[in-house]
Amino acid sequence: MSEKTIGETTGATIFALSTASARAAIAVIRLSGASCHNALTALGVTDMPAPRMAGLRALHHPKSGALLDEALVLRFAAPQSFTGEDMAELHVHGGLAVTASVLDALSEIDGLRPAAPGDFTRRAVLNGKMDLTAAEAIADLIDAEGGAQQAQALDQLRGQLRHRAEGWRDSLTAILAHLEADLEFADEDLPGGVGQKALHALPDLQKDLAMQLDDGRGLRLRDGIRIALVGAPNVGKSSILNMLAGRDAAIVSARAGTTRDAVEVAMLLAGVPVTLIDTAGLRAAGDDIEREGVRRAVATADMADIVILVNAVDTPADDATDDEMKALMARADLHLVNKSDLGDPPPSGWSFTPPAEAMELSATTGAGAEALVARLTDLVVEKTGQGGGALVTRQRHQTILRDVVNHIGAAQRAADAAIDGGGGLELAAEDLRLAQRALGRLTGAVDVEQLLDVVFADFCIGK
Ligand code: GDP
């Protein structure tokens, strides 16, 4: 552990507003560190509430003595607290002047400093109160916009990923122990092949890890799903977008940074944040500008998790001549035939095999909209797994598991070579040690200090 980290962890007592910075009935200011008791005394709390017992106390400015608020004061004695340190919570009235004045008062007290983003959780990890996956889960829980994301974050908080990672580590440890025994007593007459037999467990372990690595549902659920509408111009893509945005079943999300304009609509489907994207019309482009529009549409759709191909009963079924566009249309998850109010769809005319599933719709009358929302909901559930089972929820997990799988693969190859007489089992053992080490980084059992900055990069202050 670096000097700096030790200093930061055990040094200053930190404080922060842990609720949103806005006018509200109540705001909670948290403190963590050895000076909590002193800080409360400095605020004029002489009759200290017992740990975990709330007490209504007057708070005064330590310098001016001015009354700041009547607040509920809570204390937690180390190590029985979120961070593992002494902690205090001030439940003040949630007025902007009140919170600002209490924070200002705290900053006047010796040994106290404002918390940096993620500081409280960082201390909890460093003090062994939780592992890195739980810390990540707290960030995800706070960011969760829908029930499915919430469920996934709670699964991770409760150790779903950690337990599996520990299971994998135990398997590696057992294999390694046998292998090392084999190597150590190679000259003695031990029953031969103990280590080699243990290596038989490697392929199953490898398979299990690879399966989790390939499962993109957890990442998609955490990031949200992107759905692209593609098709020729004027088939009704933006009308469909607006129709979906206005429906009760598809709750338009209040996600920051998204606008309800004609191009993108953010909403929740099955508890998953979904971004519906209207791409430029796909057709054989005339001029350069149009060609650029098509190129972007293809690129957007390529990155989407779900592609909906739209055409209309009154337009030629297939206006696409470009191979890239055809490939994109053919990979669509869903085919919508819009403007059903105008008559029957054209009998055929596609120059490629459209996706099997076609649904009729009228964006104007709303006919078919219920069925469309239901189908989209099913697709979203299929792509995200709804917080059930998916273990890998972040790029960080993916990178680590890929490392582990690679080290196990190398161990397997070294073991195969050793059995063929082409090398020593020492090499396999070394690769397994590397795999074990890599796995330790998932929970922070290994290299926790180096990992903290990555994990806490997207934390906000007060967490
Ligand atoms: P986009 O270019 O694919 O986004 O198509 P728009 O949504 O702009 O629609 C093109 C035209 O078709 C507009 O005049 C819409 O009012 C009309 N339109 C869209 N959906 C329907 C529909 O279901 N029925 C009918 N009759 N007209 C529609």
Side-chain angles (χ1 to χ4, degrees):
M1 198 175 285
S2 71
E3 288 297 319
K4 189 165 169 272
T5 315
I6 290 172
E8 276 176 5
T9 312
T10 56
T13 292
I14 49 171
F15 65 91
L17 177 64
S18 284
T19 44
S21 183
R23 185 173 160 268
I26 291 166
V28 178
I29 295 167
R30 278 207 295 191
L31 293 84
S32 179
S35 302
C36 278
H37 196 281
N38 289 349
L40 292 179
T41 309
L43 291 175
V45 179
T46 45
D47 176 15
M48 205 61 70
R52 295 170 175 268
M53 300 293 287
L56 186 64
R57 301 287 185 273
L59 303 181
H60 291 88
H61 196 278
K63 296 247 161 82
S64 69
L67 178 65
L68 305 175
D69 197 12
E70 293 273 347
L72 212 53
V73 175
L74 259 170
R75 293 196 303 125
F76 300 87
Q80 254 107 42
S81 73
F82 176 77
T83 59
E85 303 176 326
D86 279 345
M87 288 189 78
E89 284 182 12
L90 308 174
H91 297 218
V92 300
H93 291 103
L96 297 178
V98 174
T99 49
S101 68
V102 175
L103 290 171
D104 176 61
L106 288 169
S107 68
E108 297 283 345
I109 301 170
D110 277 349
L112 263 61
R113 71 158 171 84
D119 257 358
F120 290 92
T121 316
R122 179 188 285 261
R123 288 183 178 201
V125 172
L126 286 171
N127 290 326
K129 298 298 281 191
M130 66 178 70
D131 77 309
L132 283 183
T133 65
E136 288 171 333
I138 288 179
D140 290 349
L141 200 52
I142 291 168
D143 289 337
E145 288 175 52
Q149 285 186 321
Q150 180 185 2
Q152 174 159 289
L154 283 169
D155 278 346
Q156 191 171 315
L157 183 63
R158 303 185 79 177
Q160 182 172 263
L161 177 57
R162 175 171 56 85
H163 289 143
R164 286 297 285 278
E166 285 167 355
W168 291 324
R169 276 198 103 191
D170 289 348
S171 304
L172 281 172
T173 306
I175 297 169
L176 201 51
H178 284 98
L179 206 55
E180 280 166 347
D182 220 1
L183 290 167
E184 195 162 331
F185 301 110
D187 299 337
E188 297 171 29
D189 264 349
L190 267 189
V194 175
Q196 288 185 15
K197 268 193 212 120
L199 286 169
H200 291 160
L202 271 189
D204 278 349
L205 181 59
Q206 176 88 331
K207 217 183 291 165
D208 191 17
L209 284 160
M211 209 171 76
Q212 299 303 336
L213 192 55
D214 288 344
D215 186 353
R217 293 175 306 161
L219 276 165
R220 281 197 290 266
L221 176 51
R222 181 169 175 269
D223 293 345
I225 288 274
R226 292 176 71 78
I227 303 180
L229 290 165
V230 300
N234 288 320
V235 292
K237 295 183 298 300
S238 36
S239 307
I240 294 169
L241 198 81
N242 289 332
M243 179 199 75
L244 286 173
R247 293 198 74 79
D248 290 345
I251 305 157
V252 175
S253 159
R255 211 175 319 157
T258 51
T259 49
R260 219 180 124 169
D261 58 20
V263 185
E264 281 197 8
V265 168
M267 57 194 198
L268 282 178
L269 276 181
V272 181
V274 164
T275 306
L276 206 61
I277 310 149
D278 176 15
T279 65
L282 286 183
R283 68 169 171 210
D287 55 24
D288 282 353
I289 295 171
E290 208 170 16
R291 216 185 319 275
E292 176 59 18
V294 171
R295 196 194 61 74
R296 285 188 193 179
V298 170
T300 305
D302 262 348
M303 299 211 330
D305 302 294
I306 296 172
V307 175
I308 305 177
L309 167 61
V310 187
N311 77 320
V313 299
D314 66 339
T315 45
D318 182 9
D319 199 12
T321 53
D322 187 290
D323 283 347
E324 212 179 5
M325 278 153 51
K326 280 185 203 161
L328 177 68
M329 289 173 158
R331 89 143 243 230
D333 299 273
L334 196 61
H335 173 200
L336 287 183
V337 183
N338 190 34
K339 309 196 189 181
S340 60
D341 54 295
L342 295 183
D344 291 329
S348 70
W350 298 89
S351 62
F352 62 95
T353 315
E357 194 182 341
M359 296 180 81
E360 283 193 27
L361 178 76
S362 169
T364 305
T365 67
E370 294 298 324
L372 172 60
V373 170
R375 183 64 196 118
L376 277 182
T377 305
D378 285 349
L379 278 171
V380 167
V381 169
E382 207 176 285
K383 301 271 177 189
T384 57
Q386 297 293 291
L391 294 180
V392 171
T393 60
R394 286 174 181 247
Q395 212 79 52
R396 191 183 80 84
H397 307 159
Q398 237 176 4
T399 309
I400 289 172
L401 288 192
R402 197 167 293 123
D403 273 357
V404 177
V405 165
N406 288 341
H407 288 309
I408 293 180
Q412 186 72 64
R413 282 190 299 278
D416 290 347
I419 289 160
D420 293 344
L425 277 177
E426 289 88 352
L427 290 176
E430 185 51 28
D431 285 320
L432 289 183
R433 265 180 232 115
L434 290 172
Q436 214 178 18
R437 201 179 156 73
L439 200 48
R441 304 178 76 231
L442 201 59
T443 56
V446 171
D447 292 344
V448 70
E449 300 83 22
Q450 288 95 306
L451 296 166
L452 284 171
D453 289 339
V454 180
V455 169
F456 292 107
D458 55 357
F459 264 62
C460 62
I461 292 171
K463 269 196 241 174

